[in-house]
Amino acid sequence: MSQSADDLLFARATAAMPGGNTRSTVFVPPHPPYAVTGRGCVVTDANGHEVYDCNNNYTSLLHGHAHPEIVRAAREAVGQGSAFGLPTESEIDLAELLRERTGIPRWRFCNSGTEAVMMAVRAARAATGRGRVIRFHGSYHGTYDGVVGADAAGVPQAVAEQSILLPQDDPVAFEHAMATHGHETAAVLLDLMPNRAGLRPVSRAMAELVRKRTAEHGALLIIDEVITFRLGNSGLRERYDVEPDLTTVGKVIGGGFPVGAVGGTAEVMDSFNPLGGATVSWGGTFSANPVSMRAGLTALRLFDAGAVKRLNALGDQLRDELATAGLAVNGTGSLVRLLVDDYPRAWWDLYRAGVLVGTNGLIALSTAMTDDDVIEIGRVVRSVAPAR
Ligand SMILES: Cc1ncc(COP(=O)(O)O)c(C=O)c1O
């Protein structure tokens, strides 16, 4: 039997890379297909197979692939120098836009959500002089040592011991943890709708309780909006009456290029201020590079209040339709989580039928999709995924 183009790439890849690719998060056995092009909401793989992209690089592509205005902005930036050993106006522009949209007064940039979480935790530790971080089971905050599972290979026990892991949305467990450890807690790290925990929004009461108790105990509240920032012009937090001390974002604010950012109060963010004798150093050869900054700025400008509303409405419509057909679905707005037991089989069935989703059933819509595209996506998902 002749080998497909994908299989040939995989054979080459495994000779140079363990497992044949770089991201554990995109691996599906026996091996994931290799993407070749992305245009709008369609991705074509090395075998020439076309799929609706409902993965959108794990939610980061708000406008699908190769949006002409974002491509133009990135090209212009590259043409003027892709990165400098100096700051540029582009990072000021993006910080100002984020400040204007979120009301969060101070920002700094890095290259990924992982780095953003790492720097936020470090700032919280520096600001409080404490070590412990309270987190919630199933919430993914990237791959930094301090926020991965206690049993993750390669993480020293001393680091894992600094985390206290609590069940999601469980006020009793949280009250108990704060009563016992609140005085030694640097921060509580909260994702308002954790994907890996099932994409269920945290209750308003729980979010308010976390804010109240952290303030009482002198601990900081970090809200991780790396995934949820796409749900509103100022993220999912705009639906909660909670002001965090620090917020981490990433993905969509880079317009498809590598990015992360920490936003926060002037007081806490001053931990990074070299004018104020910073206690926390923030480096990153490519942090705030003008290509990511300009592409991100363009993507966010295109994502005005009207675009946010339309995209969220498309997601609500898809979720309702799937739920009515008996499928188990969670999420809100443009983020839909398909709860299917049988991954990776379901992933492959969807892929072969023409829909690319996250390896755990995460669907993220893009503004490149028309109403008809979303109807077709719904039809494909209903025809493939089992009802419960
Ligand atoms: C909530 C959350 N925080 C942090 C991260 C890490 O971001 P990155 O993959 O850009 O390092 C992710 C990635 O999916 C995430 O979902």
Side-chain angles (χ1 to χ4, degrees), residues 4-284:
S4 69
D6 250 353
D7 289 335
L8 291 171
L9 285 174
F10 183 63
R12 258 179 67 201
T14 45
M17 289 184 289
N21 77 67
T22 293
R23 296 162 73 184
S24 307
T25 41
V26 303
F27 185 80
V28 273
H31 69 83
Y34 289 82
V36 177
T37 56
R39 299 208 200 297
C41 59
V42 175
V43 163
T44 307
D45 71 19
N47 289 339
H49 180 57
E50 291 192 345
V51 286
Y52 274 115
D53 192 356
C54 292
N55 176 310
N56 278 302
N57 194 18
Y58 282 88
T59 77
S60 61
L61 298 167
L62 276 176
H63 306 292
H65 297 271
H67 186 289
E69 287 184 47
I70 300 174
V71 170
R72 194 176 313 123
R75 271 210 180 110
E76 272 173 28
V78 174
Q80 291 168 7
S82 60
F84 303 92
L86 293 170
T88 70
E89 189 176 359
S90 64
E91 65 192 276
I92 308 173
D93 290 342
L94 189 55
E96 284 175 348
L97 184 122
L98 290 169
R99 185 186 60 184
E100 185 194 313
R101 289 212 173 155
T102 61
I104 296 171
R106 297 285 187 274
W107 290 89
R108 269 200 167 208
F109 298 100
C110 48
N111 300 296
S112 65
T114 292
E115 283 178 63
V117 168
M118 180 177 78
M119 295 313 290
V121 167
R122 192 170 300 158
R125 286 179 168 149
T128 60
R130 303 170 180 178
R132 290 227 196 242
V133 172
I134 294 184
R135 304 187 279 120
F136 298 93
H137 268 297
S139 286
Y140 175 71
H141 298 286
T143 53
Y144 146 63
D145 276 10
V147 296
V148 295
D151 55 352
V155 175
Q157 205 184 342
V159 172
E161 280 167 3
Q162 291 301 313
S163 280
I164 297 172
L165 265 173
L166 301 178
Q168 294 281 344
D169 230 332
D170 182 338
V172 176
F174 179 71
E175 290 280 29
H176 178 71
M178 285 307 277
T180 318
H181 297 288
H183 65 285
E184 55 184 15
T185 297
V188 175
L189 186 51
L190 181 67
D191 181 337
L192 294 170
M193 195 174 73
N195 166 36
R196 293 200 185 173
L199 213 65
R200 279 180 210 88
V202 165
S203 67
R204 288 173 68 94
M206 183 69 192
E208 282 164 22
L209 177 68
V210 172
R211 176 65 286 184
K212 193 159 183 274
R213 293 286 177 260
T214 44
E216 283 167 6
H217 287 274
L220 303 192
L221 169 59
I222 304 172
I223 295 193
D224 184 355
E225 291 244 54
V226 169
I227 276 203
T228 52
F229 196 66
R230 63 160 33 228
L231 295 170
N233 273 145
S234 58
L236 184 56
R237 181 184 59 99
E238 68 190 30
R239 301 189 205 170
Y240 290 79
D241 193 15
V242 165
E243 295 284 330
D245 301 287
L246 291 169
T247 298
T248 50
V249 294
K251 298 194 191 258
V252 296
I253 72 152
F257 290 83
V259 84
V262 179
T265 60
E267 190 193 350
V268 180
M269 292 295 284
D270 247 7
S271 308
F272 303 117
N273 182 356
L275 294 172
T279 50
V280 182
S281 171
W282 181 310

